[in-house]
Amino acid sequence: MTDTSARIGEIVNKDDVVLFMKGSALFPQCGFSSRAIAILDHLGVQYQTVDVLQDPEIRNGIKQYSDWPTIPQLYVKGEFVGGSDIMMEMFEAGELQQLFEDKKVATSA
């Protein structure tokens, strides 16, 4: 395991919900990241974000870690869920809400 992979592993396992994205929750740097944030905010879950634009090692390493070529990437309880398209499909089908309930993800109170 590389140092970058180990760092990513620590990040995805530190919080219940982690979104690797371009930009920050307050200032997303792409439409896909913005959509992902909007979904998480709408569902009212607590989450952490990682701005891949600030760290080229993380930006490249996360794609290898998940074997997923695009960003944003959502992790729930350490498990890779998918990118913004998958998040949107799951949200529209009620599956993302169910996943958060099943995994007992904390909500923003």
Side-chain angles (χ1 to χ4, degrees), residues 4-54:
T4 302
S5 184
R7 280 179 52 211
I8 291 169
E10 289 176 18
I11 293 167
V12 301
N13 289 298
K14 183 177 176 215
D15 296 289
D16 285 355
V17 180
V18 180
L19 182 68
F20 289 82
M21 62 179 289
K22 294 178 181 176
S24 67
L26 294 176
F27 195 61
Q29 295 290 305
C30 78
F32 296 110
S33 292
S34 180
R35 179 166 61 173
I37 290 294
I39 292 169
L40 294 174
D41 285 347
H42 181 79
L43 294 176
V45 295
Q46 293 179 10
Y47 62 91
Q48 293 298 318
T49 62
V50 177
D51 182 358
V52 300
L53 298 177
Q54 298 298 317

Side-chain angles (χ1 to χ4, degrees), residues 19 32 35-36 39 43 66-70 72-75 80-97 99-100:
L19 182 68
F32 296 110
R35 179 166 61 173
I39 292 169
L43 294 176
S66 63
D67 197 25
W68 190 260
T70 59
Q73 294 186 14
L74 178 68
Y75 288 80
F80 176 62
V81 175
S84 67
D85 290 346
I86 290 173
M87 286 177 67
M88 182 59 91
E89 289 172 15
M90 290 178 71
F91 171 71
E92 289 174 345
E95 296 168 358
L96 194 57
Q97 299 89 316
L99 174 68
F100 290 146

